[in-house]
Every structure is written in structure tokens, then in C-alpha cells.
Amino acid sequence: MFETRERVRWADVDLVGIMRFSAVTRLIETAEQELMRDAGFPFATAFDAPEFLFPRRALKVDYFLPLRIDDALLLRCAITRIGGSSFTLKVDVVQERSGALATSAEMTMVCVDARSFGKEPLPPAFREALSRYSTSQRCP
């Protein structure tokens, strides 16, 4: 499991200082970006004539606890499934002060050719890097 920290920002909250449900996607993408950086695939390199892209196919989010402006958060993430051409990232957002699970999300991404947008198998080096964060075995 990979962990990174973040805070609820001013841009994330509504008029009463509670994080908007739609702002949780920023936390999910922050966790994804930091995990990919740790895996050796920083997002900055994604703009240098990429061979593959990883658009989102599905996102499921469960909300358990409201988060307030400036709450310190622990983002815990793991790869829960590695398929032939897709993978699923699970992100748990924990409120550091209480240790309570605030939000849990699963996001599935599909590997596509950057030019044709046709589905492609996950590149071997990418698959190997993701497996370091995997909580399960490869699914066919």
C-alpha cells in the first residue's frame, strides 16, 4: 500500500467549509499521481510524446464522513486489480486527526494507444511497476 498526505483546500469546500463531493476526485487523482511518481512513471513524462494513455473507465466513490477546510488527510492507495489492458486503483481518504475513513474510491483505467485510442495491453514495464502496489493477483 502506498501513502501520501494532502489537505482539504479552500477551492475544495462549499460555503460552510465542507468538502464538496465533486472535489474528492482531486484527492483521487493526487493519490494516483503520487503513486505513479513513486512507481517511476511521473505524470510530467506523460506529455513527452506518449505512446500510451490511461483514460478512466469507471469511478466508484463511497462517502462516510464530511471533511472540513484544512483537514489533514492521509491518502492510502493500492492497485486492487491488474488486467490485460486495465488496472484498478483503490484510494482510502483518512482524516488524520480522528483516524476515521472519510471516503473510499475505486477507479479503473484502460491502456490505449495514444494515436488511435485503441485498447492495448499494459506495457510490461508498467505492469511490473504497478505490481509493487498490488493487493491481488493478475486477473485474466
Side-chain angles (χ1 to χ4, degrees):
M1 181 164 290
F2 177 79
E3 294 183 351
T4 191
R5 288 181 162 68
E6 184 55 85
R7 285 196 177 273
V8 176
R9 308 289 176 182
W10 174 256
D12 296 331
V13 300
D14 60 19
L15 292 174
V16 294
I18 295 175
M19 185 174 225
R20 292 175 287 104
F21 72 92
S22 60
V24 170
T25 57
R26 182 186 68 79
L27 298 177
I28 297 163
E29 288 194 330
T30 297
E32 175 195 12
Q33 183 173 355
E34 294 305 320
L35 182 142
M36 292 302 169
R37 181 189 329 277
D38 193 66
F41 292 92
F43 277 17
T45 62
F47 298 103
D48 299 331
E51 188 176 344
F52 299 101
L53 300 172
F54 297 93
R56 282 77 173 118
R57 193 191 88 214
L59 175 63
K60 177 187 180 289
V61 183
D62 291 313
Y63 303 92
F64 305 109
L65 174 75
L67 294 170
R68 300 185 184 281
I69 190 163
D70 214 31
D71 273 353
L73 308 173
L74 180 60
L75 309 178
R76 293 183 175 141
C77 48
I79 304 297
T80 58
R81 189 188 67 77
I82 302 174
S85 61
S86 66
F87 64 98
T88 300
L89 174 70
K90 181 177 185 344
V91 178
D92 287 337
V93 179
V94 176
Q95 184 186 49
E96 282 198 86
R97 178 178 39 81
S98 67
L101 178 63
T103 303
S104 185
E106 286 190 334
M107 182 169 64
T108 300
M109 280 90 46
V110 177
C111 181
V112 299
D113 179 273
R115 291 181 190 91
S116 70
F117 282 86
K119 190 164 77 169
E120 293 286 331
L122 291 172
F126 188 74
R127 175 186 298 285
E128 184 176 328
L130 290 183
S131 68
R132 293 187 3 226
Y133 307 94
S134 180
T135 60
S136 65
Q137 297 299 315
R138 182 184 182 276
C139 298

